[in-house]
Amino acid sequence: MLRYVVRRLLQLVVVILVLSLLLFAWLRSLPGGPVSALLGERATEESRRALTAQLGLDQPIFVQYFRFLGRALSGDFGNSTGVAPGSTAMEVFSQRFPATIELSVLAIIIAVLLGIPLGYLAARRRGGWFDNLSVIGSLIGVAVPVFFLAFLLKYLFAVQLGWLPSAGRQTSGIDATRVTGFFVLDGIMTQEWDAALDALLHLILPAMALATIPFAVIFRITRAAVLDVLDEDYVRTAESKGLTTPVVRRRHVLRNAMLPVVTTIGLQTGALLAGAVLTERVFGYPGVGEALAIGFERRDYPVLQLLIIIAAMVYVLVNLLVDVSYALIDPRIRTR
Amino acid sequence: MVHSRTTQRRRAVILGLVGVVSLSLSACAQSQRGTDNSGSGAVGGTLTFGAAGAPKLFDPFYATDGETFRISRQIFEGLVGFKPGTAEAEPRLAERWEQSPDGKTWTFSLREGVKFHDGTDFNAEAVCFNFNRWYSQTGAGQSEAVSQYWTDNFGGFSDGAKPSLFKSCTVKDAKTAVVELTDTTSKFPDVLGLPSFSMQSPTALQKYDANNVQAQGDSFAFPEYATKYPTGTGPFKFVKYDTANNTVELERYNDYAGEKAKLDKLIFKIIPDETARKQALQSGDIDGYDFPAPADWAQLEKDGFNVAVRPAFNLFYVGLNQRNNAALRDLRVRQAIMYGIDREKLVKSQLPENAKVADEFLPDTVDGYTPDVQKYTYDPEKAKALLAEAGVSNLQLNCYWPSEVTRPYMPNPKDLYGAIAADLDKIGVKCNAVTKPWNGGYIEDLDQGKTDLFLFGWTGDYNVADNFLGQFFGSPTNRINTGASPWGQQLSDDLHAASIEPDKARRIEMYKDINKRIMSEYLPAVPISHSPPALVFNSKVKGVVPSPLTDEKFAPVSKG
């Protein structure tokens, strides 16, 4: 197992190096760039040329890449040009990453807590009204665009009912102490309960919007997997042996149905960042997703490079965790 | 009111949850800090304003973006300011000024009793320290991406690599500073009202190494002064930029020399998405925001919000680049295009209520404007006749419009382009649409002269004709490529001559004459409209005076 994990981690290094090169070349092939973003509409062709030379952007792409790589290895990913121009790219990441983790964790919790039980129940009541209703609900969850759902959620819960805030991470003016950058956790650690609850309330609507697609996918995979397992001979055998229904469900049905579900949860967790780009943007939620959206608009190369590389690392690591969790769920994989 | 009702309900939800948690965790110790719950009454309270983007930094000299300037305008003041609600210059930190007959020597008498936020005195030494700081930039500090307003308005630096308009600043006595220029210019002293030329505390500038800006990688690194310690004389002091929560917090400066701010705190909450800003206002999360979409104005007003419309101080124009298509070098073809666009209809159908058709390249509030220019009333038949007279048929143009952007003068580029292209189609001019993101190649293509026809515009910085006409045609190598015409250099020379004319009355006449010739003999582009941008606030917010320069001050603003 250890050798397997080490091998996968070494693969990760290669993946990141190749990705960083492709990313570097791709960003620089896009029209516009930091020079346009920095100079704005008052630029002249002369000032554009001067700044291009000053920043070394007229150098061959490989020279620029190795210069970037050299700085990156020492932890210097450059300074933000558009997302938060006074900060380094690393500061942008470290300030926004906890926000996205908070949001993603809540979203995946919502998706799992609703998706697995409802998927299981739908499979047990296959063809019934609950099953049909849940399937339609999950189809809507996949089909409704996030920005539209976000708009509706905000309109209902923030504008009309006034129960929840519509934008941001914390109410402006709350004098909250920052410790870890995870606002809810910070509030709990410092016993600033109103700050913690305020941050939690700010999380609810974006987390609901972000959870929609993972919920729908987890629900459908759970339902399909449980249906498959319910038809297996060993379930029939267990039932005919006289095992009680709860025991059959727990030991034989759920446990065996969980493999594809865990894979899906892993993939959906990795994919949450993609969903976060749109969700954070429409909720004005200052996380990594919003930084990526603004970074593209304003051609913020340093921030884009760092965030995309880290996103790829997170994706690979989550999938590694999924592979490891297979072994824990299925003893056959452990012994291979 | 929707927002007040919703705020009360949210408060109830929070209080309820706080109660539940408090009961379950009653053994825990209490925090040492409190939550600011003030915010009502004419004096005091906190106002939260929804900003569309993150400020670049807080040292206005190095800034080029509107979001930084909005904050700078509350923290800093210049020698010159602008009368509220107008673009007219007035004394601010200078009580008055005198100019020499040749317009090159300016003597500023300063206000007394003014202190910077760090407690140090504002005086003539501070004035000259600031001028010398701007003039003595070196290295990355000279980059146009960093000190763009200086290079645009004053030219070069003390190293002499490029000529500079600035010559020297001398302390005559504690309350008198004398600024000498190398040339006469119409933009002085109005240009000193720009946020970039605000007075900053010499002590703080030195203490926090304000000039230490570095080019690093693909960008610039700014010193602590610019990110944490901006120190001015304005009615609000900088408190913090909470990057994790995307908010900038200012508080009232209680030793302010003028009328003190009514609000205790002023917070700028960054919400880049326009719909998210609107919903944040409706839900009571913010008290106001800038640039509501014109399509939303009526509904916002119907819902009880106050839409504060600024006087229009901008120009939307259709550029006609003469570089690539020979037909566009013919005045008759350019005139045909102007006759062929129904600007009246365009303004009524596509732009905000108070937008006006532009008959020339200056708003009517700028000295040098004249109604006595050739008019181009919509006349498609005349347009066709002019094209025929020029021997042009089946004219095809590469027409550029920008995506991923709205500008105060151009709130909906796609729709504006559609209307213009449809009008041109009626006179036999076909547009091949080219669209690129504003920062993703659009401006770059304009600068490289790849266009034939393009949508663009300008928002004025101050009330001087050179700030419009000089910006468009001052150099013959501009986006319209007037240098390709035999009159391009002449126009440039005439504009320079007008700009350095010390006699104001004569200068105004010179600009009027240039305007007449531009519209009848040159027509390098088609002026379309002057469009008023707006701000929106909830009904509790009082005292906002919308400014044509987006120079709104929050000091006289109150809440409740």
Side-chain angles (χ1 to χ4, degrees):
Chain A
M1 176 63 94
L2 184 64
R3 278 183 63 191
Y4 171 74
V5 172
V6 170
R7 196 171 69 237
R8 289 289 301 270
L9 287 175
L10 286 175
Q11 284 172 355
L12 172 66
V13 174
V14 177
V15 167
I16 295 306
L17 270 177
V18 172
L19 177 80
S20 69
L21 178 60
L22 291 175
L23 181 64
F24 196 85
W26 172 64
L27 282 174
R28 277 150 187 80
S29 70
L30 293 173
V35 170
S36 290
L38 284 167
L39 288 173
E41 61 201 278
R42 292 165 188 260
T44 61
E45 195 49 25
E46 188 192 351
S47 62
R48 194 183 298 282
R49 271 197 298 272
L51 186 58
T52 302
Q54 185 173 20
L55 298 178
L57 297 172
D58 54 349
Q59 301 283 312
I61 193 88
F62 277 99
V63 174
Q64 291 184 52
Y65 176 69
F66 284 113
R67 213 171 46 203
F68 159 74
L69 205 60
R71 288 198 313 268
L73 288 174
S74 62
D76 175 11
F77 285 85
N79 300 289
S80 170
T81 58
V83 178
S87 311
T88 65
M90 191 53 90
E91 283 167 351
V92 171
F93 167 73
S94 59
Q95 281 150 3
R96 285 173 174 262
F97 190 61
T100 300
I101 294 293
E102 269 187 339
L103 179 61
S104 302
V105 166
L106 189 58
I108 208 72
I109 287 173
I110 292 172
V112 169
L113 288 184
L114 290 178
I116 292 178
L118 289 180
Y120 178 78
L121 285 176
R124 293 283 300 172
R125 290 160 173 71
R126 184 183 190 180
W129 66 268
F130 180 78
D131 184 30
N132 289 332
L133 206 67
S134 306
V135 170
I136 291 169
S138 72
L139 276 172
I140 292 171
V142 174
V144 174
V146 169
F147 67 87
F148 182 62
L149 182 69
F151 179 85
L152 290 181
L153 286 172
K154 283 195 284 182
Y155 183 74
L156 180 62
F157 292 107
V159 177
Q160 287 302 319
L161 298 171
W163 291 352
L164 295 165
S166 70
R169 270 188 94 185
Q170 209 161 44
T171 299
S172 326
I174 276 197
D175 186 20
T177 309
R178 306 268 182 263
V179 184
T180 62
F182 295 90
F183 283 11
V184 178
L185 186 64
D186 288 352
I188 293 168
M189 285 169 68
T190 55
Q191 296 170 22
E192 294 170 356
W193 307 115
D194 56 341
L197 278 168
D198 184 73
L200 190 63
L201 289 176
H202 276 80
L203 274 173
I204 292 173
L205 289 183
M208 279 168 69
L210 187 58
T212 315
I213 291 176
F215 155 72
V217 175
I218 291 168
F219 166 82
R220 292 169 72 81
I221 296 290
T222 306
R223 179 180 173 276
V226 171
L227 282 177
D228 279 350
V229 174
L230 284 174
D231 286 342
E232 292 288 344
D233 290 341
Y234 57 80
V235 173
R236 240 188 326 274
T237 307
E239 282 170 345
S240 59
K241 269 166 59 184
L243 288 178
T244 59
T245 307
V247 173
V248 174
R249 283 180 192 168
R250 198 174 60 244
R251 283 196 198 158
H252 298 283
V253 178
L254 259 183
R255 184 158 191 158
N256 285 297
M258 276 303 101
L259 267 185
V261 175
V262 169
T263 310
T264 305
I265 293 171
L267 289 171
Q268 289 299 314
T269 306
L272 275 181
L273 186 60
V277 172
L278 204 53
T279 308
E280 291 182 357
R281 174 80 181 177
V282 295
F283 280 98
Y285 184 85
V288 170
E290 193 200 48
L292 277 169
I294 300 171
F296 270 109
E297 267 173 33
R298 301 184 188 171
R299 298 295 187 266
D300 193 334
Y301 287 175
V303 166
L304 287 176
Q305 280 160 183
L306 179 64
L307 296 188
I308 293 174
I309 286 171
I310 290 176
M313 285 171 70
V314 169
Y315 197 84
V316 173
L317 286 172
V318 166
N319 281 285
L320 175 60
L321 284 175
V322 169
D323 290 350
V324 172
S325 69
Y326 273 10
L328 299 175
I329 291 173
D330 188 345
R332 289 171 301 177
I333 294 175
R334 211 181 308 161
T335 52
R336 264 177 215 162
Chain B
M1 281 302 303
V2 172
H3 60 273
S4 55
R5 192 182 69 230
T6 55
T7 306
Q8 281 169 5
R9 287 186 189 169
R10 182 153 345 119
R11 231 174 247 163
V13 171
I14 293 176
L15 285 172
L17 289 168
V18 168
V20 169
V21 174
S22 302
L23 282 172
S24 58
L25 298 163
S26 53
C28 299
Q30 287 301 304
S31 160
Q32 292 306 303
R33 63 100 196 93
T35 304
D36 178 11
N37 289 321
S38 58
S40 59
V43 176
T46 299
L47 186 138
T48 304
F49 188 84
K56 187 175 169 186
L57 34 72
F58 302 103
D59 178 347
F61 180 67
Y62 290 142
T64 54
D65 61 305
E67 294 304 338
T68 293
F69 289 149
R70 188 197 314 282
I71 296 166
S72 303
R73 284 175 166 124
Q74 320 307 325
I75 303 173
F76 296 100
E77 296 169 306
L79 293 178
V80 176
F82 297 104
K83 279 184 189 164
T86 76
E88 204 178 320
E90 67 172 7
R92 185 64 48 88
L93 287 176
E95 269 180 340
R96 60 182 182 279
W97 51 78
E98 288 165 16
Q99 67 178 106
S100 61
D102 65 0
K104 292 184 184 176
T105 303
W106 293 77
T107 303
F108 292 94
S109 301
L110 309 178
R111 281 172 63 192
E112 286 185 284
V114 177
K115 286 191 184 294
F116 288 105
H117 299 160
D118 58 3
T120 56
D121 289 333
F122 167 75
N123 52 29
E125 275 187 27
V127 171
C128 287
F129 186 94
N130 274 276
F131 269 99
N132 290 328
R133 176 196 176 216
W134 306 331
Y135 183 52
S136 309
Q137 291 292 312
T138 56
Q142 291 189 357
S143 169
E144 275 201 44
V146 174
S147 47
Q148 192 174 49
Y149 277 86
W150 176 269
T151 53
D152 268 7
N153 291 290
F154 287 89
F157 298 90
S158 58
D159 62 7
K162 283 182 183 172
S164 178
L165 182 62
F166 177 76
K167 188 177 176 184
S168 67
C169 179
T170 313
V171 177
K172 194 173 167 189
D173 57 52
K175 63 168 291 191
T176 314
V178 180
V179 175
E180 284 197 72
L181 304 177
T182 55
D183 211 342
T184 313
T185 174
S186 61
K187 65 181 87 168
F188 215 80
D190 296 38
V191 70
L192 297 180
L194 292 177
S196 289
F197 306 123
S198 300
M199 292 292 124
Q200 308 193 46
S201 160
T203 308
L205 288 167
Q206 288 171 304
K207 184 176 175 186
Y208 300 110
D209 206 11
N211 289 347
N212 186 19
V213 53
Q214 303 284 337
Q216 279 179 8
D218 291 342
S219 183
F220 294 89
F222 293 96
E224 269 195 322
Y225 176 83
T227 54
K228 288 181 185 165
Y229 303 106
T231 311
T233 60
F236 286 97
K237 289 196 294 186
F238 180 82
V239 178
K240 65 178 176 187
Y241 178 17
D242 184 350
T243 46
N245 198 30
N246 254 0
T247 51
V248 179
E249 189 176 320
L250 313 183
E251 68 180 10
R252 182 174 49 228
Y253 174 41
N254 287 319
D255 293 328
Y256 181 58
E259 194 179 333
K260 292 175 183 44
K262 290 183 175 162
L263 296 162
D264 293 329
K265 274 187 185 178
L266 175 60
I267 291 175
F268 296 92
K269 187 179 178 94
I270 300 152
I271 308 174
D273 185 74
E274 206 264 328
T275 306
R277 284 199 300 280
K278 186 173 78 176
Q279 288 189 313
L281 177 73
Q282 290 170 325
S283 64
D285 291 334
I286 58 174
D287 298 301
Y289 68 92
D290 207 349
F291 301 128
D296 291 333
W297 289 11
Q299 187 59 46
L300 285 166
E301 283 185 327
K302 202 175 154 196
D303 290 345
F305 298 102
N306 293 326
V307 176
V309 181
R310 298 178 168 114
F313 197 63
N314 56 33
L315 175 76
F316 169 49
Y317 66 83
V318 172
L320 302 172
N321 180 7
Q322 299 176 38
R323 179 185 288 180
N324 306 315
N325 195 316
L328 290 176
R329 288 174 211 143
D330 190 320
L331 173 65
R332 291 166 298 185
V333 174
R334 300 196 297 276
Q335 287 179 322
I337 289 173
M338 184 143 183
Y339 277 120
I341 298 174
D342 191 347
R343 293 173 298 143
E344 196 78 47
K345 186 174 151 197
L346 189 82
V347 166
K348 279 187 183 152
S349 62
Q350 304 288 343
L351 294 171
E353 200 179 315
N354 299 329
K356 285 190 281 192
V357 169
D359 286 327
E360 59 197 87
F361 291 85
L362 286 182
D364 58 9
T365 49
V366 179
D367 291 337
Y369 169 88
T370 171
D372 188 20
V373 293
Q374 181 171 338
K375 300 287 196 300
Y376 293 82
T377 312
Y378 178 56
D379 190 342
E381 294 311 315
K382 193 165 184 176
K384 286 180 196 168
L386 279 164
L387 287 171
E389 194 185 315
V392 172
S393 59
N394 300 322
L395 180 60
Q396 296 221 357
L397 301 174
N398 290 320
C399 303
Y400 276 63
W401 64 272
S403 60
E404 295 179 23
V405 73
T406 61
R407 311 299 292 168
Y409 49 80
M410 182 170 57
N412 46 353
K414 186 181 179 184
D415 295 343
L416 288 165
Y417 168 76
I420 289 166
D423 279 350
L424 292 179
D425 190 59
K426 287 179 199 159
I427 60 166
V429 176
K430 305 286 179 199
C431 264
N432 305 318
V434 183
T435 182
K436 291 194 174 183
W438 186 254
N439 281 326
Y442 187 78
I443 295 176
E444 207 168 33
D445 278 9
L446 261 57
D447 286 341
Q448 290 170 359
K450 292 182 181 172
T451 61
D452 293 333
L453 180 151
F454 60 90
L455 309 191
F456 213 67
W458 178 254
T459 298
D461 294 314
Y462 44 88
N463 194 0
V464 170
D466 183 67
N467 188 241
F468 284 84
L469 300 178
Q471 190 69 33
F472 305 144
F473 316 119
S475 159
T477 54
N478 48 49
R479 291 180 174 126
I480 300 161
N481 200 29
T482 50
S485 282
W487 44 263
Q489 187 60 51
Q490 183 62 49
L491 174 58
S492 174
D493 293 344
D494 290 347
L495 283 168
H496 181 66
S499 175
I500 62 169
E501 171 57 50
D503 183 85
K504 189 174 179 184
R506 175 156 168 66
R507 183 166 68 231
I508 290 170
E509 286 310 310
M510 288 168 85
Y511 277 123
K512 284 183 177 175
D513 182 53
I514 291 171
N515 270 325
K516 288 178 197 168
R517 276 184 286 131
I518 286 175
M519 293 311 296
S520 60
E521 296 172 31
Y522 306 151
L523 200 68
V526 177
I528 300 281
S529 56
H530 307 293
S531 188
L535 307 101
V536 60
F537 291 92
N538 67 42
S539 60
K540 288 181 189 169
V541 178
K542 311 284 182 204
V544 177
V545 181
S547 157
L549 306 172
T550 64
D551 183 31
E552 289 85 18
K553 307 288 190 202
F554 284 87
V557 173
S558 63
K559 210 179 141 187

